[in-house]
Amino acid sequence: MSMIEKLEKRKSELVAKSKDCNNVEELRSIQAQIETINEDLTELREEETAAKLKSEISDERTAALNEVETRDATPDFTPGKGFKSVEERKNQFDDVFEKREKAGKDLKDNRAVKSDYSLTGELRAVTVGNGTTISVPHFYSPTINPDFPVVSSLIDGVDTLTLNGGESFRQPYVARITAGNYTSETGNAATADTTFAYADINRAKVTAYSEITEELQKLPNANYADEVFKNIRTSMRMLISKEILVGGGGTNQIVGIFDDGATAIDSDTDLAIAAITDTTLDEIVFNYGGAEEVEGSAVLILNKLDLLAFSKVRTSTKQKFYEIKSYGNYGTISGVPYIINSACKALSATSGTSTGDYCMAYGNLKNYKLVEFSPIEVKRSEDYKFKEGMIAHRGVVMLGGNVVKKNGFLRVKANFA
């Protein structure tokens, strides 16, 4: 088996392996190996073509010389010079083939070659090389490299409830507990009523739609159609993960943590901050929750630029003040868990954020409830634009969301005044 055949076999094995692989790092490794094999194959084929060219020129030269030696016709006659001997004619052919070999080498090395042919007159075709192709072939990867993550993990951390077919959901919560009091021997017991409130969660419809051509589904090596189909769900999750924070709470909208519709949060508890300093994290942590404890299971939701601002805070000796451990979309700031969500405006941004804008939220993620009134449904159809050869993809889900615990989140807003 030749080296080219061995490489082709190895390439086929890697392509087959990539189709069953779901690990991103392994797919990248396989793709790198395939690209290296393609480069080796191109180099080997060029060497093979050059060897065939040299062999054919050598064979043509030998045949021509043999023809001169065995020709019975009268040697060439030139007026004023007489007849050419067989030896002279051999030398003439030597010069021609030496020039041709030199021209072939110059062309291969990308150097200009002067042609002995004129623009007019009869030209006879001469085949040089095997003529397998006129252009460089293109190789296509059977895999599609993914984008950077586009969905905040916030959506996977909140509390969820499935109520298929429902229209709305009301979650009761304790709004206030009154302390007892001393009572005289004959006096009435101190009133200690518990006050309850409700968080209303109404149905909203979220959809995502995309069209591709039938060529995109049938022709490429990579499975573009299935990637589009899968990403319809991702598109809906992108919206919902942001709306958990900034949802407007109106008709056909979920209620976000930053919205006035989150009635469980008392706006008087909002924390106004001018800049991220060495005391910012303490201010957030100790201002959250009740007066009798420090909540230990809360998460800070913030913009990536503000995470950068935390990392830039330095001690008096220029050491990093906060210890940040990152695991992609989430991590810890000096032991306090965080989640990045681009729906948060950046407190540290030089533009785009105004006084009063909400920038961060801190709280137990289970204090936000996301209710799914229907399962996610993603469909593919070739009927809608059959004449145009378009394939449609459509996803839809019915859901709602709201904060369901009294002051379940501490909201941090900008205060540049």
Side-chain angles (χ1 to χ4, degrees):
M1 181 182 293
S2 68
M3 181 58 70
I4 291 179
E5 291 173 337
K6 290 180 179 178
L7 289 175
E8 289 286 4
K9 181 180 178 182
R10 176 57 180 163
K11 178 181 174 182
S12 299
E13 292 173 351
L14 290 172
V15 170
K17 183 178 180 181
S18 69
K19 293 179 179 179
D20 299 325
C21 180
N22 295 319
N23 184 280
V24 174
E25 294 299 326
E26 187 175 355
L27 282 172
R28 289 176 178 170
S29 174
I30 292 174
Q31 180 61 26
Q33 294 180 60
I34 292 175
E35 291 176 356
T36 301
I37 290 175
N38 285 336
E39 293 174 358
D40 292 342
L41 285 172
T42 300
E43 184 176 347
L44 287 172
R45 288 188 176 113
E46 288 178 352
E47 293 176 355
E48 185 180 60
T49 300
K52 288 182 180 180
L53 175 61
K54 183 175 181 181
S55 176
E56 290 177 2
I57 291 176
S58 176
D59 293 344
E60 185 179 352
R61 176 180 179 180
T62 301
L65 290 175
N66 290 338
E67 181 183 355
V68 171
E69 290 179 349
T70 57
R71 185 178 296 172
D72 293 331
T74 304
D76 290 347
F77 175 79
T78 303
K81 294 185 178 180
F83 295 92
K84 289 184 179 179
S85 66
V86 172
E87 188 63 25
E88 288 175 332
R89 298 183 69 189
K90 284 184 179 180
N91 292 336
Q92 180 184 5
F93 276 103
D94 284 341
D95 293 338
V96 170
F97 282 102
E98 284 176 3
K99 288 176 65 178
R100 185 178 296 178
E101 287 178 342
K102 183 178 183 301
K105 186 176 185 305
D106 289 342
L107 286 173
K108 184 178 179 181
D109 294 338
N110 200 25
R111 290 195 292 267
V113 176
K114 182 179 180 181
S115 174
D116 291 330
Y117 298 112
S118 64
L119 292 175
T120 60
E122 181 182 0
L123 294 178
R124 296 184 180 180
V126 179
T127 301
V128 181
N130 58 7
T132 56
T133 180
I134 196 171
S135 62
V136 178
H138 295 277
F139 299 96
Y140 296 92
S141 170
T143 60
I144 301 174
N145 290 335
D147 192 5
F148 288 107
V150 293
V151 180
S152 171
S153 56
L154 174 63
I155 189 175
D156 299 314
V158 299
D159 193 25
T160 58
L161 176 66
T162 301
L163 289 177
N164 289 336
E167 289 285 334
S168 64
F169 176 79
R170 172 170 282 191
Q171 175 66 57
Y173 60 87
V174 175
R176 187 181 63 177
I177 301 175
T178 306
N181 206 345
Y182 293 110
T183 304
S184 64
E185 185 174 350
T186 59
N188 295 326
T191 301
D193 292 330
T194 299
T195 304
F196 297 94
Y198 302 90
D200 290 322
I201 300 176
N202 298 313
R203 187 187 71 171
K205 183 179 181 180
V206 176
T207 61
Y209 180 82
S210 178
E211 294 178 358
I212 62 172
T213 64
E214 59 184 358
E215 287 83 4
L216 196 61
Q217 182 183 34
K218 296 178 180 179
L219 297 182
N221 294 329
N223 201 344
Y224 293 97
D226 281 355
E227 191 71 14
V228 171
F229 186 79
K230 179 182 68 175
N231 287 338
I232 288 292
R233 176 177 176 270
T234 301
S235 297
M236 292 189 290
R237 282 169 52 82
M238 285 176 64
L239 173 74
I240 297 166
S241 67
K242 290 178 171 58
E243 290 294 286
I244 290 173
L245 288 171
V246 298
T251 303
N252 201 43
Q253 290 181 313
I254 69 176
V255 179
I257 296 171
F258 293 155
D259 185 65
D260 293 339
T263 55
I265 300 178
D266 185 352
S267 60
D268 291 339
T269 63
D270 293 344
L271 179 65
I273 292 179
I276 295 174
T277 67
D278 55 3
T279 63
T280 299
L281 191 60
D282 287 339
E283 290 179 15
I284 294 173
V285 170
F286 291 107
N287 274 285
Y288 174 67
E292 306 299 333
E293 68 172 356
V294 176
E295 176 69 35
S297 57
V299 176
L300 180 63
I301 309 167
L302 76 170
N303 189 286
K304 185 178 179 181
L305 292 177
D306 283 346
L307 181 63
L308 174 62
F310 273 108
S311 72
K312 289 182 176 180
V313 178
R314 295 291 187 268
T315 65
S316 58
T317 58
K318 303 301 181 181
Q319 300 297 312
K320 284 191 174 185
F321 186 84
Y322 295 106
E323 181 186 9
I324 297 177
K325 294 182 179 179
S326 179
Y327 306 99
N329 180 247
Y330 61 92
T332 59
I333 305 174
S334 296
V336 176
Y338 73 81
I339 287 179
I340 296 172
N341 193 305
S342 61
C344 294
K345 291 193 175 182
L347 180 69
S348 57
T350 56
S351 63
T353 305
S354 304
T355 295
D357 288 343
Y358 287 115
C359 300
M360 304 179 204
Y362 181 71
N364 189 325
L365 298 185
K366 299 305 179 183
N367 294 338
Y368 189 94
K369 186 179 288 291
L370 194 67
V371 180
E372 296 185 27
F373 296 110
S374 77
I376 291 181
E377 185 179 71
V378 183
K379 291 183 177 180
R380 175 183 292 164
S381 173
E382 300 181 7
D383 301 327
Y384 172 53
K385 291 190 175 182
F386 179 76
K387 184 178 180 180
E388 301 174 25
M390 300 296 291
I391 300 171
H393 302 81
R394 180 177 181 272
V396 61
V397 64
M398 304 289 185
L399 54 84
N402 204 341
V403 179
V404 292
K405 183 175 180 177
K406 182 65 176 179
N407 292 326
F409 291 90
L410 174 71
R411 300 181 298 195
V412 178
K413 58 184 180 182
N415 181 21
F416 301 136

PDB file of all heavy atoms in Angstrom, residues 191-213:
ATOM      1  N   THR A 191     -50.875  40.488  69.349  1.00  0.00           N
ATOM      2  CA  THR A 191     -51.191  40.136  67.957  1.00  0.00           C
ATOM      3  C   THR A 191     -49.897  39.846  67.203  1.00  0.00           C
ATOM      4  O   THR A 191     -48.949  40.638  67.226  1.00  0.00           O
ATOM      5  CB  THR A 191     -51.953  41.277  67.268  1.00  0.00           C
ATOM      6  OG1 THR A 191     -53.171  41.526  67.993  1.00  0.00           O
ATOM      7  CG2 THR A 191     -52.272  40.925  65.841  1.00  0.00           C
ATOM      8  N   ALA A 192     -49.869  38.730  66.500  1.00  0.00           N
ATOM      9  CA  ALA A 192     -48.671  38.354  65.717  1.00  0.00           C
ATOM     10  C   ALA A 192     -49.122  37.708  64.414  1.00  0.00           C
ATOM     11  O   ALA A 192     -48.864  36.536  64.152  1.00  0.00           O
ATOM     12  CB  ALA A 192     -47.777  37.419  66.520  1.00  0.00           C
ATOM     13  N   ASP A 193     -49.850  38.504  63.652  1.00  0.00           N
ATOM     14  CA  ASP A 193     -50.373  37.990  62.385  1.00  0.00           C
ATOM     15  C   ASP A 193     -49.248  37.814  61.362  1.00  0.00           C
ATOM     16  O   ASP A 193     -48.291  38.592  61.311  1.00  0.00           O
ATOM     17  CB  ASP A 193     -51.427  38.943  61.818  1.00  0.00           C
ATOM     18  CG  ASP A 193     -52.689  38.982  62.669  1.00  0.00           C
ATOM     19  OD1 ASP A 193     -52.989  37.945  63.301  1.00  0.00           O
ATOM     20  OD2 ASP A 193     -53.353  40.036  62.694  1.00  0.00           O
ATOM     21  N   THR A 194     -49.386  36.796  60.528  1.00  0.00           N
ATOM     22  CA  THR A 194     -48.489  36.593  59.382  1.00  0.00           C
ATOM     23  C   THR A 194     -49.168  37.140  58.141  1.00  0.00           C
ATOM     24  O   THR A 194     -50.331  36.815  57.862  1.00  0.00           O
ATOM     25  CB  THR A 194     -48.174  35.104  59.183  1.00  0.00           C
ATOM     26  OG1 THR A 194     -47.512  34.604  60.346  1.00  0.00           O
ATOM     27  CG2 THR A 194     -47.285  34.901  57.963  1.00  0.00           C
ATOM     28  N   THR A 195     -48.460  37.962  57.410  1.00  0.00           N
ATOM     29  CA  THR A 195     -49.011  38.549  56.185  1.00  0.00           C
ATOM     30  C   THR A 195     -48.498  37.772  54.981  1.00  0.00           C
ATOM     31  O   THR A 195     -47.287  37.528  54.861  1.00  0.00           O
ATOM     32  CB  THR A 195     -48.604  40.026  56.055  1.00  0.00           C
ATOM     33  OG1 THR A 195     -49.032  40.727  57.223  1.00  0.00           O
ATOM     34  CG2 THR A 195     -49.241  40.657  54.823  1.00  0.00           C
ATOM     35  N   PHE A 196     -49.419  37.432  54.108  1.00  0.00           N
ATOM     36  CA  PHE A 196     -49.056  36.697  52.886  1.00  0.00           C
ATOM     37  C   PHE A 196     -49.262  37.589  51.663  1.00  0.00           C
ATOM     38  O   PHE A 196     -50.071  38.522  51.686  1.00  0.00           O
ATOM     39  CB  PHE A 196     -49.906  35.437  52.740  1.00  0.00           C
ATOM     40  CG  PHE A 196     -49.708  34.430  53.832  1.00  0.00           C
ATOM     41  CD1 PHE A 196     -50.538  34.418  54.945  1.00  0.00           C
ATOM     42  CD2 PHE A 196     -48.688  33.507  53.750  1.00  0.00           C
ATOM     43  CE1 PHE A 196     -50.359  33.499  55.971  1.00  0.00           C
ATOM     44  CE2 PHE A 196     -48.490  32.575  54.766  1.00  0.00           C
ATOM     45  CZ  PHE A 196     -49.337  32.573  55.875  1.00  0.00           C
ATOM     46  N   ALA A 197     -48.529  37.309  50.627  1.00  0.00           N
ATOM     47  CA  ALA A 197     -48.690  38.000  49.346  1.00  0.00           C
ATOM     48  C   ALA A 197     -48.579  36.961  48.232  1.00  0.00           C
ATOM     49  O   ALA A 197     -48.280  35.775  48.483  1.00  0.00           O
ATOM     50  CB  ALA A 197     -47.647  39.096  49.193  1.00  0.00           C
ATOM     51  N   TYR A 198     -48.802  37.413  46.994  1.00  0.00           N
ATOM     52  CA  TYR A 198     -48.818  36.478  45.864  1.00  0.00           C
ATOM     53  C   TYR A 198     -48.005  37.048  44.698  1.00  0.00           C
ATOM     54  O   TYR A 198     -48.027  38.250  44.433  1.00  0.00           O
ATOM     55  CB  TYR A 198     -50.254  36.213  45.402  1.00  0.00           C
ATOM     56  CG  TYR A 198     -51.153  35.656  46.475  1.00  0.00           C
ATOM     57  CD1 TYR A 198     -51.890  36.515  47.305  1.00  0.00           C
ATOM     58  CD2 TYR A 198     -51.258  34.293  46.669  1.00  0.00           C
ATOM     59  CE1 TYR A 198     -52.701  36.018  48.301  1.00  0.00           C
ATOM     60  CE2 TYR A 198     -52.071  33.786  47.666  1.00  0.00           C
ATOM     61  CZ  TYR A 198     -52.789  34.648  48.480  1.00  0.00           C
ATOM     62  OH  TYR A 198     -53.594  34.135  49.466  1.00  0.00           O
ATOM     63  N   ALA A 199     -47.299  36.152  44.036  1.00  0.00           N
ATOM     64  CA  ALA A 199     -46.602  36.510  42.798  1.00  0.00           C
ATOM     65  C   ALA A 199     -47.343  35.864  41.643  1.00  0.00           C
ATOM     66  O   ALA A 199     -47.480  34.636  41.600  1.00  0.00           O
ATOM     67  CB  ALA A 199     -45.154  36.032  42.843  1.00  0.00           C
ATOM     68  N   ASP A 200     -47.868  36.689  40.744  1.00  0.00           N
ATOM     69  CA  ASP A 200     -48.615  36.178  39.592  1.00  0.00           C
ATOM     70  C   ASP A 200     -47.664  35.893  38.438  1.00  0.00           C
ATOM     71  O   ASP A 200     -46.820  36.733  38.079  1.00  0.00           O
ATOM     72  CB  ASP A 200     -49.676  37.192  39.161  1.00  0.00           C
ATOM     73  CG  ASP A 200     -50.809  37.304  40.169  1.00  0.00           C
ATOM     74  OD1 ASP A 200     -51.191  36.258  40.730  1.00  0.00           O
ATOM     75  OD2 ASP A 200     -51.277  38.434  40.407  1.00  0.00           O
ATOM     76  N   ILE A 201     -47.828  34.722  37.865  1.00  0.00           N
ATOM     77  CA  ILE A 201     -47.019  34.312  36.711  1.00  0.00           C
ATOM     78  C   ILE A 201     -47.984  33.998  35.573  1.00  0.00           C
ATOM     79  O   ILE A 201     -48.758  33.033  35.644  1.00  0.00           O
ATOM     80  CB  ILE A 201     -46.147  33.083  37.042  1.00  0.00           C
ATOM     81  CG1 ILE A 201     -45.194  33.418  38.200  1.00  0.00           C
ATOM     82  CG2 ILE A 201     -45.361  32.637  35.816  1.00  0.00           C
ATOM     83  CD1 ILE A 201     -44.366  32.227  38.659  1.00  0.00           C
ATOM     84  N   ASN A 202     -47.963  34.837  34.541  1.00  0.00           N
ATOM     85  CA  ASN A 202     -48.877  34.682  33.415  1.00  0.00           C
ATOM     86  C   ASN A 202     -48.154  34.151  32.189  1.00  0.00           C
ATOM     87  O   ASN A 202     -46.937  34.304  32.032  1.00  0.00           O
ATOM     88  CB  ASN A 202     -49.531  36.024  33.089  1.00  0.00           C
ATOM     89  CG  ASN A 202     -50.372  36.545  34.240  1.00  0.00           C
ATOM     90  OD1 ASN A 202     -51.164  35.798  34.816  1.00  0.00           O
ATOM     91  ND2 ASN A 202     -50.187  37.817  34.582  1.00  0.00           N
ATOM     92  N   ARG A 203     -48.940  33.562  31.312  1.00  0.00           N
ATOM     93  CA  ARG A 203     -48.370  32.885  30.139  1.00  0.00           C
ATOM     94  C   ARG A 203     -47.863  33.885  29.109  1.00  0.00           C
ATOM     95  O   ARG A 203     -48.498  34.889  28.811  1.00  0.00           O
ATOM     96  CB  ARG A 203     -49.439  32.005  29.488  1.00  0.00           C
ATOM     97  CG  ARG A 203     -48.911  31.126  28.370  1.00  0.00           C
ATOM     98  CD  ARG A 203     -50.036  30.412  27.664  1.00  0.00           C
ATOM     99  NE  ARG A 203     -50.837  31.354  26.866  1.00  0.00           N
ATOM    100  CZ  ARG A 203     -51.778  30.971  26.011  1.00  0.00           C
ATOM    101  NH1 ARG A 203     -52.062  29.685  25.875  1.00  0.00           N
ATOM    102  NH2 ARG A 203     -52.451  31.869  25.323  1.00  0.00           N
ATOM    103  N   ALA A 204     -46.695  33.593  28.557  1.00  0.00           N
ATOM    104  CA  ALA A 204     -46.123  34.355  27.441  1.00  0.00           C
ATOM    105  C   ALA A 204     -45.657  33.362  26.379  1.00  0.00           C
ATOM    106  O   ALA A 204     -45.298  32.222  26.688  1.00  0.00           O
ATOM    107  CB  ALA A 204     -44.959  35.221  27.915  1.00  0.00           C
ATOM    108  N   LYS A 205     -45.678  33.790  25.143  1.00  0.00           N
ATOM    109  CA  LYS A 205     -45.298  32.918  24.023  1.00  0.00           C
ATOM    110  C   LYS A 205     -43.956  33.353  23.466  1.00  0.00           C
ATOM    111  O   LYS A 205     -43.760  34.514  23.094  1.00  0.00           O
ATOM    112  CB  LYS A 205     -46.370  32.985  22.924  1.00  0.00           C
ATOM    113  CG  LYS A 205     -46.118  32.064  21.740  1.00  0.00           C
ATOM    114  CD  LYS A 205     -47.264  32.196  20.734  1.00  0.00           C
ATOM    115  CE  LYS A 205     -47.076  31.284  19.530  1.00  0.00           C
ATOM    116  NZ  LYS A 205     -48.199  31.420  18.568  1.00  0.00           N
ATOM    117  N   VAL A 206     -43.023  32.431  23.423  1.00  0.00           N
ATOM    118  CA  VAL A 206     -41.688  32.697  22.881  1.00  0.00           C
ATOM    119  C   VAL A 206     -41.467  31.800  21.667  1.00  0.00           C
ATOM    120  O   VAL A 206     -41.699  30.588  21.737  1.00  0.00           O
ATOM    121  CB  VAL A 206     -40.588  32.434  23.934  1.00  0.00           C
ATOM    122  CG1 VAL A 206     -39.202  32.617  23.328  1.00  0.00           C
ATOM    123  CG2 VAL A 206     -40.758  33.365  25.121  1.00  0.00           C
ATOM    124  N   THR A 207     -41.036  32.392  20.554  1.00  0.00           N
ATOM    125  CA  THR A 207     -40.831  31.624  19.320  1.00  0.00           C
ATOM    126  C   THR A 207     -39.473  31.944  18.707  1.00  0.00           C
ATOM    127  O   THR A 207     -38.844  32.955  19.023  1.00  0.00           O
ATOM    128  CB  THR A 207     -41.927  31.935  18.276  1.00  0.00           C
ATOM    129  OG1 THR A 207     -41.866  33.332  17.949  1.00  0.00           O
ATOM    130  CG2 THR A 207     -43.310  31.578  18.807  1.00  0.00           C
ATOM    131  N   ALA A 208     -39.043  31.081  17.804  1.00  0.00           N
ATOM    132  CA  ALA A 208     -37.838  31.310  16.996  1.00  0.00           C
ATOM    133  C   ALA A 208     -38.063  30.629  15.657  1.00  0.00           C
ATOM    134  O   ALA A 208     -38.586  29.505  15.601  1.00  0.00           O
ATOM    135  CB  ALA A 208     -36.597  30.752  17.688  1.00  0.00           C
ATOM    136  N   TYR A 209     -37.682  31.304  14.572  1.00  0.00           N
ATOM    137  CA  TYR A 209     -37.965  30.794  13.219  1.00  0.00           C
ATOM    138  C   TYR A 209     -36.747  31.009  12.337  1.00  0.00           C
ATOM    139  O   TYR A 209     -36.068  32.040  12.403  1.00  0.00           O
ATOM    140  CB  TYR A 209     -39.175  31.532  12.648  1.00  0.00           C
ATOM    141  CG  TYR A 209     -39.573  31.104  11.245  1.00  0.00           C
ATOM    142  CD1 TYR A 209     -40.358  29.975  11.044  1.00  0.00           C
ATOM    143  CD2 TYR A 209     -39.159  31.840  10.137  1.00  0.00           C
ATOM    144  CE1 TYR A 209     -40.728  29.583   9.765  1.00  0.00           C
ATOM    145  CE2 TYR A 209     -39.522  31.459   8.850  1.00  0.00           C
ATOM    146  CZ  TYR A 209     -40.301  30.331   8.675  1.00  0.00           C
ATOM    147  OH  TYR A 209     -40.653  29.942   7.410  1.00  0.00           O
ATOM    148  N   SER A 210     -36.475  30.040  11.482  1.00  0.00           N
ATOM    149  CA  SER A 210     -35.337  30.151  10.570  1.00  0.00           C
ATOM    150  C   SER A 210     -35.615  29.365   9.299  1.00  0.00           C
ATOM    151  O   SER A 210     -36.302  28.336   9.329  1.00  0.00           O
ATOM    152  CB  SER A 210     -34.058  29.618  11.250  1.00  0.00           C
ATOM    153  OG  SER A 210     -32.964  29.679  10.367  1.00  0.00           O
ATOM    154  N   GLU A 211     -35.077  29.857   8.174  1.00  0.00           N
ATOM    155  CA  GLU A 211     -35.217  29.172   6.891  1.00  0.00           C
ATOM    156  C   GLU A 211     -33.843  28.901   6.292  1.00  0.00           C
ATOM    157  O   GLU A 211     -32.928  29.711   6.432  1.00  0.00           O
ATOM    158  CB  GLU A 211     -36.030  30.016   5.903  1.00  0.00           C
ATOM    159  CG  GLU A 211     -37.474  30.224   6.286  1.00  0.00           C
ATOM    160  CD  GLU A 211     -38.195  31.117   5.288  1.00  0.00           C
ATOM    161  OE1 GLU A 211     -37.548  31.595   4.334  1.00  0.00           O
ATOM    162  OE2 GLU A 211     -39.414  31.346   5.459  1.00  0.00           O
ATOM    163  N   ILE A 212     -33.702  27.761   5.642  1.00  0.00           N
ATOM    164  CA  ILE A 212     -32.489  27.440   4.898  1.00  0.00           C
ATOM    165  C   ILE A 212     -32.886  26.874   3.542  1.00  0.00           C
ATOM    166  O   ILE A 212     -34.019  26.417   3.354  1.00  0.00           O
ATOM    167  CB  ILE A 212     -31.596  26.418   5.644  1.00  0.00           C
ATOM    168  CG1 ILE A 212     -32.338  25.087   5.829  1.00  0.00           C
ATOM    169  CG2 ILE A 212     -31.117  26.973   6.965  1.00  0.00           C
ATOM    170  CD1 ILE A 212     -31.465  23.980   6.377  1.00  0.00           C
ATOM    171  N   THR A 213     -31.979  26.903   2.594  1.00  0.00           N
ATOM    172  CA  THR A 213     -32.256  26.332   1.274  1.00  0.00           C
ATOM    173  C   THR A 213     -32.081  24.817   1.318  1.00  0.00           C
ATOM    174  O   THR A 213     -31.360  24.287   2.169  1.00  0.00           O
ATOM    175  CB  THR A 213     -31.312  26.916   0.218  1.00  0.00           C
ATOM    176  OG1 THR A 213     -29.962  26.536   0.541  1.00  0.00           O
ATOM    177  CG2 THR A 213     -31.420  28.433   0.176  1.00  0.00           C
TER     178      THR A 213
END
